[in-house]
Amino acid sequence: MTLKRINTVIVKEWREAFKGGKTFWIGTVALPLVLLGVSFFPFLYAGDLRGISTEETKELFEKVSMLFLTPLLFFLMFPMVIPHSIAIYAIMSEKEQKSLEPLLATPLRTDELFLAKTLASVLPALAITWIAFGLFLAVMQFLLPSTVLELAWQQFGSIWLMTLLLFAPLAATFMTLASMAIATRVSDLRTAQLLSSFAMLPILMSAFFLIFQNLLDKPALLGGLCAALLVLDIALLGLNVKLFRREEILTRWR
Amino acid sequence: MIIAENLTRRFGDRLAVENLSVEIAEGEVFGFLGPNGAGKTTTVRMLAGLLAPTAGRAVVAGVDVCAEPQRVRSLVGILTEHPGLYEKLSAWHNLKFYADLHDLPNAEAQIEKYLNLLGLWERRFEPVGTFSKGMKQKLAIARALLHEPKVLFLDEPTSGLDPESAKTVRDFIAQLASEKRTIFLCTHNLYEAEQLCTRIGLIKQRLIKVGSPQQLKRELYGRQIVVDLKEPITLSEDLRLPFVRDVQADGRRLLVQLDDPEAQNPLLIKRLVELGAQIQFVREHDRSLEEVYLDLIAEEKA
Ligand SMILES: Nc1ncnc2c1ncn2[C@@H]1O[C@H](COP(=O)(O)OP(=O)(O)OP(=O)(O)O)[C@@H](O)[C@H]1O
Ligand SMILES: [Mg+2]
């Protein structure tokens, strides 16, 4: 395997995606931005909170702490929604353009191709999730007194970190691998999108369930979801390794 | 440059290519003809290190296709049946991508060279989706040549092109051949095969025949001389010289089958003159490759 070839394919993938029109921009940039913006609204109603006393802050936090769960919802969503559009596109566009045969006629190895396509989808998903979280923190810093933020960090810090550092990579990998596997087998873009949405649903539902049941202050539950994702990821990896054999790509991807 | 021994490929129960053996020398333009589904593309895919043969072996550019397919792929160029370009990317980015996959040190110079040669330099920054079919085909040819392969596989390079573009591509292929490259050319265009190829292989699952266009014609029809006369003559036993294989009269035209016209024509003409024939023209009957092709395929079916 050479890094140069993997890198070449990733860059090509992104260059193509950037020119990919509405679907790409809505799925990867517009949607996360809008969702992130929405998550700020509740805090805006909190009004100017700077300068309130510590006692009042504690009282206030008791009341608003649930508000911090809404943005979390979105940070659980981003790593799944973004690969959904990139990964499907990465496979479907090669199939539609019949570019796989000339591509495989180069010294490119199929494991390099697989790795490049996976990274091309997982990396931006993580980057956008993390940047969105950075934005979220920055805006909170601006809207809320630091004491409130400190209290929030005490209560939700471990969940946030777990979401960003554990759930996000596992979920992004899951959606990427699932979408790619589906895209190799389906000849129509809409069907692929529909099927991969079905794959996303159980994970998202579990995550939302955890939140609405107010269970997220028990990190073990999210840990359990991550463990389940890890098992799924490994299974999907095995499946994709089979699907990405040269023979398979040339004769059975439709 | 290309050696295939009993190359065989199955898809499930279907036998696509069976026991194909052929040797192609450096600098040859080898034409590969056969009806749809005959196994041409499958053969190219095996020889270019894309698909593994079910049985048999092949050595291309000195490398075993089964043992080191990746090295074969880095040494050969292939124009696939479909151009398969990235429509949203510019011509330049399409080529740059492939140059990088081949890890070319002089990528930009190579890209410029071939875009210029194929007349696409001016439009290098436009998305390929806006190109005409002929331009896409030329770009795909440029892509196959970037790494200066010694062996080139061209799968129907002029299919679907207008006569002018087709001629440009054919002239370009002739130029490549003159640079000592070995070219394996799949085509349905028999005129093209006759113009460009040093040898022709006819395939229908199995390799039916191999030879130069001339050899194939002679093998099938022998050599036939056409004699145009001023007045018809009656065919008599006197014309049956020992070396004449067959004679047919068709009005004022005689069709004479000979083995060695260079030596036998003078004797034939002498005898005709003795018989009082008034000869206007004598020439060899040139069959088109199309006739050869159709006859051989018909023979195979029977
Ligand atoms: N991926 C595949 N799966 C199953 N069968 C295949 C596959 N590829 C080719 N075949 C079969 O192998 C045979 C040879 O096909 P191939 O594409 O090599 O023919 P061809 O000579 O290139 O035809 P054409 O002139 O139409 O391009 C056909 O019967 C075809 O159906
Ligand atoms: Mg073909």
Side-chain angles (χ1 to χ4, degrees):
Chain A
M1 277 208 255
T2 81
L3 231 51
K4 166 140 197 227
R5 284 197 294 262
I6 294 172
N7 187 45
T8 300
V9 177
I10 293 179
V11 170
K12 186 279 284 181
E13 217 59 54
W14 289 346
R15 184 167 279 132
E16 240 192 324
F18 270 120
K19 304 196 169 158
K22 285 199 271 319
T23 332
F24 171 77
W25 288 106
I26 292 175
T28 55
V29 181
L31 190 68
L33 274 181
V34 169
L35 292 180
L36 193 65
V38 167
S39 68
F40 294 139
F41 280 128
F43 295 100
L44 290 177
Y45 281 104
D48 187 8
L49 294 171
R50 284 157 200 284
I52 54 175
S53 74
T54 321
E55 273 310 300
E56 283 171 319
T57 310
K58 281 213 171 114
E59 221 169 89
L60 180 75
F61 184 73
E62 300 282 294
K63 288 188 187 133
V64 300
S65 71
M66 278 313 292
L67 290 181
F68 285 92
L69 288 176
T70 331
L72 185 62
L73 206 101
F74 298 129
F75 296 120
L76 289 166
M77 263 175 84
F78 293 164
M80 308 209 81
V81 175
I82 297 165
H84 169 70
S85 60
I86 303 184
I88 290 183
Y89 185 80
I91 303 296
M92 295 307 278
S93 80
E94 298 272 7
K95 292 205 299 185
E96 271 164 22
Q97 300 180 95
K98 302 194 193 306
S99 45
L100 285 160
E101 191 174 354
L103 182 60
L104 292 177
T106 67
L108 182 71
R109 290 163 38 153
T110 49
D111 48 4
E112 294 166 345
L113 177 67
F114 167 66
L115 206 63
K117 295 256 176 203
T118 307
L119 289 176
S121 161
V122 170
L123 293 181
L126 288 183
I128 293 172
T129 306
W130 290 341
I131 290 170
F133 186 73
L135 278 175
F136 168 72
L137 282 187
V139 174
M140 288 300 108
Q141 204 91 48
F142 178 74
L143 288 177
L144 301 173
S146 56
T147 38
V148 175
L149 269 189
E150 268 162 37
L151 286 170
W153 192 257
Q154 271 169 27
Q155 180 158 359
F156 300 113
S158 52
I159 287 291
W160 280 340
L161 287 181
M162 224 167 147
T163 303
L164 292 171
L165 300 180
L166 205 62
F167 178 83
L170 286 168
T173 308
F174 169 78
M175 266 322 280
T176 300
L177 296 180
S179 301
M180 287 203 304
I182 290 165
T184 63
R185 284 293 136 153
V186 174
S187 57
D188 163 69
L189 180 66
R190 272 166 221 284
T191 317
Q193 281 170 335
L194 193 69
L195 288 177
S196 110
S197 306
F198 286 146
M200 169 160 44
L201 231 50
I203 313 292
L204 266 189
M205 299 266 271
S206 318
F208 288 3
F209 176 79
L210 292 179
I211 289 179
F212 287 125
Q213 294 291 309
N214 191 16
L215 293 173
L216 267 182
D217 48 354
K218 301 192 187 72
L221 285 170
L222 186 60
L225 184 58
C226 288
L229 273 175
L230 182 66
V231 172
L232 285 173
D233 283 359
I234 292 170
L236 280 172
L237 182 71
L239 175 64
N240 272 283
V241 165
K242 286 214 181 77
L243 290 173
F244 269 81
R245 283 181 305 208
R246 187 171 298 273
E247 184 80 28
E248 182 82 19
I249 298 175
L250 283 170
T251 61
R252 276 189 285 276
W253 284 22
R254 307 212 182 278
Chain B
M1 263 302 171
I2 301 176
I3 302 167
E5 276 169 24
N6 294 319
L7 215 53
T8 300
R9 173 69 211 206
R10 287 176 184 283
F11 293 104
D13 291 336
R14 188 182 293 132
L15 197 53
V17 177
E18 187 185 0
N19 283 329
L20 182 127
S21 299
V22 71
E23 246 179 78
I24 301 169
E26 183 173 7
E28 258 198 274
V29 181
F30 188 83
F32 209 42
L33 309 181
N36 292 125
K40 300 182 295 296
T41 301
T42 305
T43 306
V44 166
R45 286 171 158 195
M46 288 191 285
L47 292 176
L50 270 161
L51 275 187
T54 314
R57 60 188 287 271
V59 177
V60 175
V63 182
D64 189 318
V65 165
C66 302
E68 292 180 277
Q70 194 184 17
R71 247 188 87 210
V72 171
R73 292 199 302 273
S74 72
L75 292 173
V76 307
I78 175 168
L79 173 72
T80 46
E81 211 163 9
H82 305 282
L85 298 155
Y86 298 108
E87 306 253 324
K88 295 202 180 79
L89 303 186
S90 67
W92 198 89
H93 276 310
N94 265 282
L95 294 189
K96 183 70 168 59
F97 174 57
Y98 278 86
D100 287 345
L101 287 179
H102 279 284
D103 203 10
L104 297 186
N106 54 345
E108 307 201 346
Q110 285 299 94
I111 294 172
E112 186 173 346
K113 170 180 165 190
Y114 281 106
L115 283 178
N116 270 322
L117 270 177
L118 288 156
L120 293 169
W121 180 248
E122 298 297 317
R123 302 192 59 175
R124 64 191 177 282
F125 295 132
E126 289 175 40
V128 170
T130 65
F131 282 14
S132 74
K133 194 166 182 177
M135 291 165 71
K136 285 181 189 165
Q137 190 73 338
K138 285 178 197 165
L139 188 60
I141 294 175
R143 181 183 60 193
L145 288 165
L146 283 176
H147 56 296
E148 301 293 349
K150 296 294 284 171
V151 180
L152 198 58
F153 295 95
L154 302 172
D155 201 347
E156 304 187 27
T158 58
S159 92
L161 301 191
D162 70 55
E164 199 194 342
S165 311
K167 182 169 184 327
T168 321
V169 169
R170 271 200 288 276
D171 291 347
F172 191 66
I173 296 171
Q175 187 189 328
L176 292 172
S178 70
E179 295 166 7
K180 279 304 239 180
R181 292 185 214 259
T182 310
I183 299 176
F184 191 98
L185 173 73
C186 298
T187 181
H188 289 298
N189 185 326
L190 299 163
Y191 165 77
E192 176 173 299
E194 193 161 9
Q195 293 283 305
L196 291 170
C197 299
T198 47
R199 274 196 308 156
I200 281 169
L202 201 64
I203 184 183
K204 199 182 164 201
Q205 206 177 81
R206 300 178 299 104
L207 197 58
I208 301 172
K209 273 249 178 324
V210 183
S212 71
Q214 281 302 330
Q215 275 171 346
L216 292 184
K217 288 178 199 173
R218 285 181 193 166
E219 203 171 309
L220 203 61
Y221 307 110
R223 296 179 72 181
Q224 211 169 31
I225 302 302
V226 185
V227 185
D228 288 315
L229 304 171
K230 201 165 173 212
E231 302 282 337
I233 59 164
T234 44
L235 287 181
S236 66
E237 280 307 309
D238 298 329
L239 205 52
R240 295 241 177 258
L241 294 164
F243 54 79
V244 171
R245 294 198 159 266
D246 186 37
V247 188
Q248 285 167 30
D250 178 13
R252 296 192 290 119
R253 176 167 289 179
L254 285 182
L255 294 168
V256 188
Q257 193 109 22
L258 301 175
D259 288 330
D260 184 6
E262 282 80 3
Q264 296 158 347
N265 267 348
L267 300 171
L268 174 72
I269 293 166
K270 183 160 168 260
R271 172 61 61 94
L272 281 168
V273 172
E274 283 166 10
L275 291 170
Q278 291 175 286
I279 298 172
Q280 286 179 317
F281 299 103
V282 179
R283 62 191 158 83
E284 183 160 6
H285 181 38
D286 195 22
R287 305 254 182 186
S288 70
L289 190 59
E290 186 171 359
E291 291 173 73
V292 179
Y293 175 87
L294 293 174
D295 282 350
L296 282 173
I297 294 292
E299 203 174 275
E300 181 67 17
K301 274 194 188 129

